Every structure is written in C-alpha cells, then in structure tokens.
Amino acid sequence: QVQLQESGPGLLKPSETLSLTCSVSGGSISSYYWTWIRQPPGKGLEWIGYIYYSGSTHYSPSLRSRVTISLDTSNKQFALKLTSVTAADTAMYYCARGVATTGLWFDPWGQGTLVTVSS
Amino acid sequence: QSALTQPASVSGSPGQSITISCTGTSSDIGGYNYVSWYQQHPGEAPKLMIYDVSNRPSRVSDRFSGSKSGNTASLTISGLQAEDEADYYCSSYTSSTTLIFGGGTKLTVL
C-alpha cells in the first residue's frame, strides 16, 4: 500500500526557510493531490496546501505569501518550502495523499516530522 | 476562514454510542458534501475514518458513521470501545477553494 515519509531539518532559527520533502512509495503519483498539513504542539490541524500531479498548486490564504509546494514525479517526491519562519511555525508537519471523489480527503498520512523554530 | 466548531471533549462508556458535532457555515459544510473525519491517537498521525460526509473506507469499522444536516456534520461511534479513545477532527472544503479543519474533539472512554 501507499506509504509517505517526511524528511528535513528539525530545528530552524527565526527568519530561515523551512524545507521538507515527502517520499511516496508503493503507489502512483498520478491523479492525486499531494498535501502538506501541520499541527502545532497540543493544537489542531492546519491545511497548508497541495500540488496536483499535473503541477497545479493551491495554498492556504494565511500562508500563501510564504509557501511553495513542488513535485518531483521521477523520484516520487514532493516538497514544502516555507520562508521567513517564526516561532509560530513550530509544528508537526505531515504530508498526505489527497484523494478527490465528491470532496477532497487525505489518506494515507506520513508519520510526521517535528519542526522547531527557536533562536 | 475560521475553523469548524467542534466540542472540546466528549465521553462515553464502553458499549454506548456517542456523537461528535462539527459546525460550519453555508460556505463550507452547508454548501458541499465534502466533509471528512480523522482519528488521531496520541503520538500518531491522523487516520481517515469518514469521507464525503458518510462514506467509510473498507478498513474502518462499521461502528463509525457520518451524517450532515444543514451546516452541521456529525460523527457517530456506536458500541464504544477502549481503542476508540482518541482525538477526532472534521474537515471541509470551502467556497474559497480551501480546506479547513475543526478544532478537534477529545473522546474519552470511561
């Protein structure tokens, strides 16, 4: 079955750029919405954005000015870049496969990677 | 776009049924059949439980069911079991073509 695995630095300083990669195994990249979602410690989930396999992207309005999601189909990976991070960006970052039927839902999810922003 | 509104906590005894509500607006829940529900155990990633309001992945127990009325969606768990104790999140597509989540509900099995 499809599995997703996040990777990237776990500690950043304020103003740096967060860069994470999600590797997809056991399934196709095609026809899905490859998504990033984050969860601050002890808080709820926040949708960051997605990239469709065709390359089109869609981002949360609150993060749009700082976010870029890209896709490497040959290596079955997609990436998240978030610029000018602050302590408010400290969170567990999940990648997930978005499936569009009537709506858009996420399954499966990666195990998550904790990113801490601290000076 | 504000988060969907969920109760902070619900509880029930083993064997009982509980319902978790998720309230939005006509711009999200009320306008589309795009509601999904996720279960998250401590220290784990969320798992899909319900999609498109009331559809259940084959791996999910039929004790879990979803519904919607107006601007409020609901997740019902029947025959409550200890393993159901977890956080539950609802999600909906919006008229702004974004995705929003509820604040999460902590289910305690007494």
PDB file of all heavy atoms in Angstrom, chain A residues 1 15 19-20 22-23 37 39 45 50 53-54 75 78 81 90 107 112 119:
ATOM      1  N   GLN A   1       0.839  -1.188   0.000  1.00  0.00           N
ATOM      2  CA  GLN A   1       0.000   0.000   0.000  1.00  0.00           C
ATOM      3  C   GLN A   1       0.877   1.242   0.000  1.00  0.00           C
ATOM      4  O   GLN A   1       2.064   1.178   0.292  1.00  0.00           O
ATOM      5  CB  GLN A   1      -0.929   0.013   1.218  1.00  0.00           C
ATOM      6  CG  GLN A   1      -0.260   0.255   2.552  1.00  0.00           C
ATOM      7  CD  GLN A   1       0.359  -0.983   3.146  1.00  0.00           C
ATOM      8  OE1 GLN A   1       0.618  -1.961   2.459  1.00  0.00           O
ATOM      9  NE2 GLN A   1       0.643  -0.933   4.441  1.00  0.00           N
ATOM     10  N   SER A  15      13.495  33.498  10.810  1.00  0.00           N
ATOM     11  CA  SER A  15      13.802  34.101   9.513  1.00  0.00           C
ATOM     12  C   SER A  15      14.356  33.101   8.504  1.00  0.00           C
ATOM     13  O   SER A  15      14.471  33.434   7.319  1.00  0.00           O
ATOM     14  CB  SER A  15      14.750  35.295   9.634  1.00  0.00           C
ATOM     15  OG  SER A  15      16.098  34.888   9.757  1.00  0.00           O
ATOM     16  N   SER A  19      12.404  23.660   4.833  1.00  0.00           N
ATOM     17  CA  SER A  19      12.369  22.831   3.627  1.00  0.00           C
ATOM     18  C   SER A  19      12.166  21.384   4.034  1.00  0.00           C
ATOM     19  O   SER A  19      12.995  20.809   4.744  1.00  0.00           O
ATOM     20  CB  SER A  19      13.674  22.965   2.831  1.00  0.00           C
ATOM     21  OG  SER A  19      13.830  24.270   2.335  1.00  0.00           O
ATOM     22  N   LEU A  20      11.082  20.801   3.594  1.00  0.00           N
ATOM     23  CA  LEU A  20      10.759  19.412   3.888  1.00  0.00           C
ATOM     24  C   LEU A  20      10.473  18.662   2.591  1.00  0.00           C
ATOM     25  O   LEU A  20       9.982  19.239   1.630  1.00  0.00           O
ATOM     26  CB  LEU A  20       9.542  19.302   4.803  1.00  0.00           C
ATOM     27  CG  LEU A  20       9.656  19.916   6.193  1.00  0.00           C
ATOM     28  CD1 LEU A  20       8.314  19.803   6.928  1.00  0.00           C
ATOM     29  CD2 LEU A  20      10.760  19.267   7.001  1.00  0.00           C
ATOM     30  N   CYS A  22       8.708  14.926   1.085  1.00  0.00           N
ATOM     31  CA  CYS A  22       7.868  13.761   1.347  1.00  0.00           C
ATOM     32  C   CYS A  22       8.108  12.742   0.239  1.00  0.00           C
ATOM     33  O   CYS A  22       7.934  13.048  -0.946  1.00  0.00           O
ATOM     34  CB  CYS A  22       6.400  14.162   1.389  1.00  0.00           C
ATOM     35  SG  CYS A  22       5.276  12.790   1.754  1.00  0.00           S
ATOM     36  N   SER A  23       8.528  11.552   0.627  1.00  0.00           N
ATOM     37  CA  SER A  23       8.785  10.477  -0.331  1.00  0.00           C
ATOM     38  C   SER A  23       7.596   9.529  -0.366  1.00  0.00           C
ATOM     39  O   SER A  23       7.104   9.100   0.683  1.00  0.00           O
ATOM     40  CB  SER A  23      10.053   9.716   0.070  1.00  0.00           C
ATOM     41  OG  SER A  23      11.168  10.582   0.060  1.00  0.00           O
ATOM     42  N   ILE A  37       0.085  19.355   5.704  1.00  0.00           N
ATOM     43  CA  ILE A  37      -0.767  19.755   6.829  1.00  0.00           C
ATOM     44  C   ILE A  37       0.136  19.848   8.051  1.00  0.00           C
ATOM     45  O   ILE A  37       1.052  19.045   8.200  1.00  0.00           O
ATOM     46  CB  ILE A  37      -1.879  18.702   7.043  1.00  0.00           C
ATOM     47  CG1 ILE A  37      -2.828  18.672   5.849  1.00  0.00           C
ATOM     48  CG2 ILE A  37      -2.659  18.989   8.336  1.00  0.00           C
ATOM     49  CD1 ILE A  37      -3.709  17.439   5.774  1.00  0.00           C
ATOM     50  N   GLN A  39       0.519  20.718  12.509  1.00  0.00           N
ATOM     51  CA  GLN A  39      -0.172  20.677  13.795  1.00  0.00           C
ATOM     52  C   GLN A  39       0.758  21.212  14.871  1.00  0.00           C
ATOM     53  O   GLN A  39       1.695  20.521  15.299  1.00  0.00           O
ATOM     54  CB  GLN A  39      -0.599  19.236  14.121  1.00  0.00           C
ATOM     55  CG  GLN A  39      -1.390  19.105  15.395  1.00  0.00           C
ATOM     56  CD  GLN A  39      -1.913  17.694  15.592  1.00  0.00           C
ATOM     57  OE1 GLN A  39      -1.265  16.713  15.227  1.00  0.00           O
ATOM     58  NE2 GLN A  39      -3.100  17.583  16.165  1.00  0.00           N
ATOM     59  N   LEU A  45      -5.258  20.726  13.610  1.00  0.00           N
ATOM     60  CA  LEU A  45      -4.669  20.591  12.285  1.00  0.00           C
ATOM     61  C   LEU A  45      -4.887  21.844  11.439  1.00  0.00           C
ATOM     62  O   LEU A  45      -5.937  22.494  11.532  1.00  0.00           O
ATOM     63  CB  LEU A  45      -5.289  19.387  11.565  1.00  0.00           C
ATOM     64  CG  LEU A  45      -5.135  18.039  12.276  1.00  0.00           C
ATOM     65  CD1 LEU A  45      -6.036  16.996  11.618  1.00  0.00           C
ATOM     66  CD2 LEU A  45      -3.685  17.589  12.260  1.00  0.00           C
ATOM     67  N   TYR A  50      -1.635  22.113  -1.363  1.00  0.00           N
ATOM     68  CA  TYR A  50      -1.390  20.889  -2.108  1.00  0.00           C
ATOM     69  C   TYR A  50      -0.880  21.191  -3.507  1.00  0.00           C
ATOM     70  O   TYR A  50      -1.005  22.312  -4.004  1.00  0.00           O
ATOM     71  CB  TYR A  50      -2.643  20.012  -2.184  1.00  0.00           C
ATOM     72  CG  TYR A  50      -3.844  20.619  -2.888  1.00  0.00           C
ATOM     73  CD1 TYR A  50      -3.861  20.873  -4.255  1.00  0.00           C
ATOM     74  CD2 TYR A  50      -5.007  20.908  -2.186  1.00  0.00           C
ATOM     75  CE1 TYR A  50      -4.963  21.409  -4.885  1.00  0.00           C
ATOM     76  CE2 TYR A  50      -6.117  21.447  -2.805  1.00  0.00           C
ATOM     77  CZ  TYR A  50      -6.102  21.700  -4.157  1.00  0.00           C
ATOM     78  OH  TYR A  50      -7.188  22.237  -4.775  1.00  0.00           O
ATOM     79  N   TYR A  53      -0.923  16.328  -9.350  1.00  0.00           N
ATOM     80  CA  TYR A  53       0.132  15.651 -10.083  1.00  0.00           C
ATOM     81  C   TYR A  53       0.473  16.368 -11.398  1.00  0.00           C
ATOM     82  O   TYR A  53       1.584  16.222 -11.916  1.00  0.00           O
ATOM     83  CB  TYR A  53      -0.247  14.194 -10.347  1.00  0.00           C
ATOM     84  CG  TYR A  53      -1.162  13.980 -11.520  1.00  0.00           C
ATOM     85  CD1 TYR A  53      -0.682  13.511 -12.729  1.00  0.00           C
ATOM     86  CD2 TYR A  53      -2.522  14.250 -11.420  1.00  0.00           C
ATOM     87  CE1 TYR A  53      -1.518  13.311 -13.803  1.00  0.00           C
ATOM     88  CE2 TYR A  53      -3.368  14.065 -12.481  1.00  0.00           C
ATOM     89  CZ  TYR A  53      -2.870  13.582 -13.682  1.00  0.00           C
ATOM     90  OH  TYR A  53      -3.704  13.397 -14.734  1.00  0.00           O
ATOM     91  N   SER A  54      -0.461  17.167 -11.888  1.00  0.00           N
ATOM     92  CA  SER A  54      -0.203  17.936 -13.113  1.00  0.00           C
ATOM     93  C   SER A  54       0.717  19.124 -12.862  1.00  0.00           C
ATOM     94  O   SER A  54       1.223  19.734 -13.816  1.00  0.00           O
ATOM     95  CB  SER A  54      -1.525  18.445 -13.683  1.00  0.00           C
ATOM     96  OG  SER A  54      -2.133  19.343 -12.768  1.00  0.00           O
ATOM     97  N   ASN A  75      11.194  11.052  -9.086  1.00  0.00           N
ATOM     98  CA  ASN A  75      11.649  10.472  -7.824  1.00  0.00           C
ATOM     99  C   ASN A  75      10.514  10.219  -6.851  1.00  0.00           C
ATOM    100  O   ASN A  75      10.752   9.796  -5.720  1.00  0.00           O
ATOM    101  CB  ASN A  75      12.681  11.389  -7.165  1.00  0.00           C
ATOM    102  CG  ASN A  75      14.005  11.373  -7.890  1.00  0.00           C
ATOM    103  OD1 ASN A  75      14.545  10.303  -8.195  1.00  0.00           O
ATOM    104  ND2 ASN A  75      14.549  12.544  -8.184  1.00  0.00           N
ATOM    105  N   PHE A  78       7.534  15.038  -3.152  1.00  0.00           N
ATOM    106  CA  PHE A  78       7.067  16.413  -3.214  1.00  0.00           C
ATOM    107  C   PHE A  78       7.626  17.160  -2.019  1.00  0.00           C
ATOM    108  O   PHE A  78       7.991  16.546  -1.007  1.00  0.00           O
ATOM    109  CB  PHE A  78       5.552  16.525  -3.347  1.00  0.00           C
ATOM    110  CG  PHE A  78       4.729  15.968  -2.210  1.00  0.00           C
ATOM    111  CD1 PHE A  78       4.103  16.808  -1.313  1.00  0.00           C
ATOM    112  CD2 PHE A  78       4.552  14.597  -2.075  1.00  0.00           C
ATOM    113  CE1 PHE A  78       3.314  16.306  -0.299  1.00  0.00           C
ATOM    114  CE2 PHE A  78       3.773  14.077  -1.064  1.00  0.00           C
ATOM    115  CZ  PHE A  78       3.143  14.930  -0.159  1.00  0.00           C
ATOM    116  N   LYS A  81       8.341  24.340   0.967  1.00  0.00           N
ATOM    117  CA  LYS A  81       9.223  25.420   1.404  1.00  0.00           C
ATOM    118  C   LYS A  81       8.373  26.503   2.045  1.00  0.00           C
ATOM    119  O   LYS A  81       7.357  26.926   1.483  1.00  0.00           O
ATOM    120  CB  LYS A  81      10.013  26.001   0.230  1.00  0.00           C
ATOM    121  CG  LYS A  81      11.130  25.105  -0.271  1.00  0.00           C
ATOM    122  CD  LYS A  81      12.052  25.838  -1.220  1.00  0.00           C
ATOM    123  CE  LYS A  81      13.069  24.903  -1.855  1.00  0.00           C
ATOM    124  NZ  LYS A  81      13.892  24.196  -0.854  1.00  0.00           N
ATOM    125  N   THR A  90       6.410  26.598  14.502  1.00  0.00           N
ATOM    126  CA  THR A  90       6.781  25.364  15.201  1.00  0.00           C
ATOM    127  C   THR A  90       5.592  24.417  15.196  1.00  0.00           C
ATOM    128  O   THR A  90       4.496  24.772  15.656  1.00  0.00           O
ATOM    129  CB  THR A  90       7.208  25.657  16.646  1.00  0.00           C
ATOM    130  OG1 THR A  90       8.434  26.392  16.635  1.00  0.00           O
ATOM    131  CG2 THR A  90       7.394  24.366  17.429  1.00  0.00           C
ATOM    132  N   ASP A 107      -5.605  10.487   2.702  1.00  0.00           N
ATOM    133  CA  ASP A 107      -5.309   9.130   3.116  1.00  0.00           C
ATOM    134  C   ASP A 107      -4.357   8.490   2.110  1.00  0.00           C
ATOM    135  O   ASP A 107      -4.633   8.518   0.911  1.00  0.00           O
ATOM    136  CB  ASP A 107      -6.610   8.307   3.157  1.00  0.00           C
ATOM    137  CG  ASP A 107      -6.385   6.884   3.628  1.00  0.00           C
ATOM    138  OD1 ASP A 107      -5.886   6.725   4.759  1.00  0.00           O
ATOM    139  OD2 ASP A 107      -6.694   5.946   2.882  1.00  0.00           O
ATOM    140  N   GLY A 112       4.824  12.129  10.097  1.00  0.00           N
ATOM    141  CA  GLY A 112       5.033  13.491  10.580  1.00  0.00           C
ATOM    142  C   GLY A 112       6.470  13.746  10.970  1.00  0.00           C
ATOM    143  O   GLY A 112       7.200  12.832  11.361  1.00  0.00           O
ATOM    144  N   SER A 119      15.560  30.526  18.451  1.00  0.00           N
ATOM    145  CA  SER A 119      16.856  31.179  18.337  1.00  0.00           C
ATOM    146  C   SER A 119      17.864  30.575  19.315  1.00  0.00           C
ATOM    147  O   SER A 119      19.044  30.890  19.274  1.00  0.00           O
ATOM    148  CB  SER A 119      16.722  32.678  18.605  1.00  0.00           C
ATOM    149  OG  SER A 119      16.131  32.901  19.865  1.00  0.00           O
TER     150      SER A 119
END
